[in-house]
Structure formats: structure tokens, C-alpha cells
């Protein structure tokens, strides 16, 4: 129920930034702002593939917060809430601190959640043996297809991996779009070393503007979480396509109007000329003559259009 409230309307809880990368031993500060005053303020953590864990609850007049579970009596975590804002400080980062952190506000039984901030904690010591490499960033055309690659090396640690793909665009925060858990079909072991290397693909077909953004590959292996540096994907071609559609539409409308005008003009010319031709025609035993009638001498009420009146005379001629 609580998580579905964000879909009922625009949330008044906002978090700064959306993806943070930090090294083991460093410190980070996560910020959150509340558009409306609430009775309680919360911080949650969600590790990859795990359920939400509550970190702290701050009441309206309690600025320091009350911590729960593994975060209780842990000096590495502190919370400061004041004037519609809250910040979560994490000191001396550990690899286990990797995850997505959410802030929330609560009034009675109504909860509002922020967008979440994903924190990736990297260990420089393990980077020589464990790492993730992703496809190069690039620009693709609308309607085309692309396959993003994620290559994972886990050192001497084998076993199955849990692979996650996140997308972060300018209009939204990172969202989990694909999981590939418990599979190592594309993994191999180097014959000269004990390192294990795995390759994972994310195919994207029929690209449009909504596919633009930065794609992150994350892998859980041997008790640690590895994040790639991300692949930025730009999708172009919509503006050119719309211009072409507008041009072709205008050309089609102009052609239709021109065709109608030409047809109307030809019809009028044909109707006028059919009654203004003088001459004699011989057909069998009859001679026909088409005579133009001058109506200028008639009164106005008796005049008729020369385009609609023709007078024919005929005389019989007997051939000897």
C-alpha cells in the first residue's frame, strides 16, 4: 500500500542525486527534502535482490532519529532532520553499504517515498582481480537495435552470479529493468590463471527516445557487489523524422488542392466551348448548324447564360 502511493500522485518527497560512486573507507551524505510537514521521517536501505531494511525513524521534534536492527548503536550512521530536510551520513564505507537508500515521510497510515539514491562502494584492492567492464557509450538511431555488454571478472572466486541492469535517464531516477540471477552459462576460466570471466548481454530493440539514458550493470558475486561505470545511450532521429512527416503532409495537401482546382477549371472550359462552336455538319440526309445567340438585346429577366443555351437549325436535303 505504501509503495503504491507514489503512483497516485506526484510525491512531495525528493532526494538529491541518483547514483553515487565512492571508495571503501570514504564518507557519503545523502540528502532528502519534504514538501509537506509530516509526523515521522524514515530512511530505508535496499540491497540488490533484498527487501527493504529500515534504518531510522525521526519524529517531528526529534532531530537525531531512532535507529533499528543492524544500524542501531552503529556510529557509522547518523541522521539529522530539520526544517523539512533530512540527511543520512555514512562514515567509513564498507562494500556491504552498497545499495539503494530511500527516504520517506509518514502521516497516520499514509507514506510517501523518495526516488532513491543508489550508492556503489568500490574496493581499490579488489579492482585488480574483480571488475566490471561495460560497452562504450554512443549514439544510435531511432528504430534500430543495440546490445549492451557487461563483462565480469571475479578473480579466483567462481560460482553463480546475480546480474542486475539499471537505467538512469534525465527524467527519472535509476530503475531496475532486468535481472539475470543464478546463471553462469557464459562464464569461462582462464587456463593460465584462476580468474573467472563472465559475459552478459542486454539487447534493446526498436529504440525510441524513452530508451535514452545511462545503463549500469551490477553483479553480486562471492559476497560482494560490483558496479560498472555505466553505458550512456543517446537516441537521435526523432526531429528529422517529424520534419519529414510535416513536409510530406503539406506537399500532399497542396497536391490535392491543385488537382481539384485543375479539374474544376477544365470542366468549366469544356462546358463553355461545347455551345460556342459554329459550323455545318453532314449526317445522312440531314444538315446541322450550331448557331450562337446574342442575348444582349433581350431584357434582363429574359436573359439566359450562353453557357447553358444552344440553338440548332436543321433542313432536309434530298440527294438526287
Amino acid at each position: 500500500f505504501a509503495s503504491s502511493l507514489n503512483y497516485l500522485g506526484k510525491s512531495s518527497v525528493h532526494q538529491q542525486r541518483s547514483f553515487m560512486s565512492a571508495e571503501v573507507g570514504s564518507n557519503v551524505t545523502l540528502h532528502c527534502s519534504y514538501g509537506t510537514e509530516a509526523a515521522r521521517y524514515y530512511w530505508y536501505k535496499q540491497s540488490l535482490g533484498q527487501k527493504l531494511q529500515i534504518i531510522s525513524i525521526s519524529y517531528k521534534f526529534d532531530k537525531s532519529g531512532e535507529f533499528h536492527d543492524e544500524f542501531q548503536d552503529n556510529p557509522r550512521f547518523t541522521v539529522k532532520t530539520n526544517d523539512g530536510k533530512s540527511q543520512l551520513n555514512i562514515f567509513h564505507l564498507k562494500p556491504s553499504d552498497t545499495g539503494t537508500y530511500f527516504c520517506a515521510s509518514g502521516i497516520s497510515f499514509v507514506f510517501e517515498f523518495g526516488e532513491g539514491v543508489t550508492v556503489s562502494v568500490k574496493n581499490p584492492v579488489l579492482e585488480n582481480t574483480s571488475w566490471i567492464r561495460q560497452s562504450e557509450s554512443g549514439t544510435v538511431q531511432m528504430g534500430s537495435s543495440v546490445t549492451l555488454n557487461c563483462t565480469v571478472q571475479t578473480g579466483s572466486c567462481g560460482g553463480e552470479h546475480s546480474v542486475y541492469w539499471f537505467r538512469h535517464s534525465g527524467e527519472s531516477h535509476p530503475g531496475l529493468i532486468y535481472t539475470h540471477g543464478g546463471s553462469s552459462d557464459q562464464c569461462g576460466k582462464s587456463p593460465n590463471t584462476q580468474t573467472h570471466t563472465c559475459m552478459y548481454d542486454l539487447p534493446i530493440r526498436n529504440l525510441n527516445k524513452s530508451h535514452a539514458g545511462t545503463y549500469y550493470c551490477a553483479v553480486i558475486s562471492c559476497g560482494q557487489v560490483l558496479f560498472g561505470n555505466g553505458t550512456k545511450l543517446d537516441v537521435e532521429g526523432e526531429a528529422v523524422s517529424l520534419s519529414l512527416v510535416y513536409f510530406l503532409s503539406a506537399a500532399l495537401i497542396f497536391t490535392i488542392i491543385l488537382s481539384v482546382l485543375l479539374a474544376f477549371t477544365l470542366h468549366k472550359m469544356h462546358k463553355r466551348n461545347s455551345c460556342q462552336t459554329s459550323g455545318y455538319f453532314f449526317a445522312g440526309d440531314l444538315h446541322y448548324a450550331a448557331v450562337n445567340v446574342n442575348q444582349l438585346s433581350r431584357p434582363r429577366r429574359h436573359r439566359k447564360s450562353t453557357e447553358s443555351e444552344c440553338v440548332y437549325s436543321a433542313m432536309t436535303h434530298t440527294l438526287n
Side-chain angles (χ1 to χ4, degrees):
F1 173 76
S3 61
S4 65
L5 290 175
N6 286 345
Y7 296 95
L8 299 179
K10 187 174 182 180
S11 175
S12 61
V13 181
H14 302 284
Q15 294 184 248
Q16 296 180 2
R17 303 187 66 174
S18 55
F19 188 90
M20 300 178 63
S21 180
E23 292 188 355
V24 169
S26 61
N27 306 324
V28 296
T29 299
L30 309 182
H31 298 274
C32 182
S33 61
Y34 305 93
T36 57
E37 187 175 352
R40 296 179 303 278
Y41 304 96
Y42 304 83
W43 279 98
Y44 290 89
K45 175 189 176 184
Q46 185 176 30
S47 300
L48 285 176
Q50 304 298 320
K51 65 180 181 179
L52 282 173
Q53 296 176 275
I54 186 168
I55 298 175
S56 67
I57 301 177
S58 299
Y59 294 92
K60 187 174 181 179
F61 301 104
D62 181 13
K63 298 181 179 181
S64 59
E66 176 185 327
F67 290 86
H68 293 263
D69 300 329
E70 64 184 76
F71 306 98
Q72 189 174 8
D73 299 325
N74 189 335
R76 296 197 306 113
F77 292 84
T78 63
V79 170
K80 182 179 179 180
T81 302
N82 191 19
D83 297 330
K85 297 181 179 179
S86 179
Q87 65 181 41
L88 171 65
N89 302 295
I90 310 176
F91 303 100
H92 308 296
L93 285 168
K94 298 181 178 181
S96 59
D97 293 327
T98 295
T100 303
Y101 292 81
F102 297 92
C103 62
S105 66
I107 301 177
S108 184
F109 296 101
V110 178
F111 283 74
E112 285 190 278
F113 278 80
E115 301 90 343
V117 178
T118 301
V119 178
S120 171
V121 182
K122 296 186 176 183
N123 191 345
V125 177
L126 298 177
E127 285 187 353
N128 294 328
T129 57
S130 301
W131 43 258
I132 290 182
R133 290 197 182 101
Q134 293 188 227
S135 305
E136 295 291 332
S137 301
T139 302
V140 293
Q141 296 294 323
M142 287 186 60
S144 61
S145 300
V146 68
T147 299
L148 305 183
N149 305 114
C150 178
T151 303
V152 184
Q153 180 176 293
T154 58
S156 59
C157 177
E160 295 183 340
H161 299 157
S162 295
V163 183
Y164 301 84
W165 285 92
F166 294 84
R167 184 182 68 205
H168 172 221
S169 65
E171 300 178 354
S172 62
H173 286 251
L176 180 64
I177 60 175
Y178 180 75
T179 62
H180 190 94
S183 177
S184 55
D185 296 338
Q186 303 178 58
C187 296
K189 183 177 179 181
S190 174
N192 299 325
T193 64
Q194 296 298 317
T195 60
H196 293 259
T197 303
C198 301
M199 296 181 63
Y200 300 95
D201 296 333
L202 178 66
I204 309 175
R205 299 179 177 86
N206 195 22
L207 287 160
N208 56 54
K209 284 291 185 179
S210 65
H211 291 111
T214 303
Y215 291 76
Y216 295 93
C217 174
V219 176
I220 299 178
S221 176
C222 303
Q224 64 176 332
V225 181
L226 303 175
F227 265 89
N229 291 326
T231 299
K232 185 177 180 181
L233 202 63
D234 292 321
V235 182
E236 66 177 15
E238 183 177 24
V240 176
S241 298
L242 286 177
S243 299
L244 182 60
V245 169
Y246 295 150
F247 174 77
L248 293 178
S249 299
L252 178 60
I253 294 173
F254 175 77
T255 303
I256 293 174
I257 295 175
L258 183 60
S259 300
V260 172
L261 290 175
L262 288 175
F264 180 75
T265 303
L266 290 174
H267 174 73
K268 296 288 289 184
M269 292 176 61
H270 175 74
K271 189 173 181 181
R272 184 184 304 114
N273 293 337
S274 64
C275 293
Q276 294 182 349
T277 303
S278 300
Y280 293 91
F281 307 92
F282 176 78
D285 291 340
L286 297 177
H287 288 274
Y288 296 88
V291 181
N292 291 329
V293 180
N294 189 348
Q295 298 183 2
L296 294 177
S297 60
R298 294 184 180 184
R300 181 178 299 273
R301 66 177 180 271
H302 295 298
R303 292 180 187 176
K304 295 182 180 179
S305 174
T306 58
E307 296 178 1
S308 61
E309 181 177 350
C310 295
V311 178
Y312 295 91
S313 63
M315 66 179 178
T316 304
H317 175 71
T318 304
L319 296 177
N320 296 326

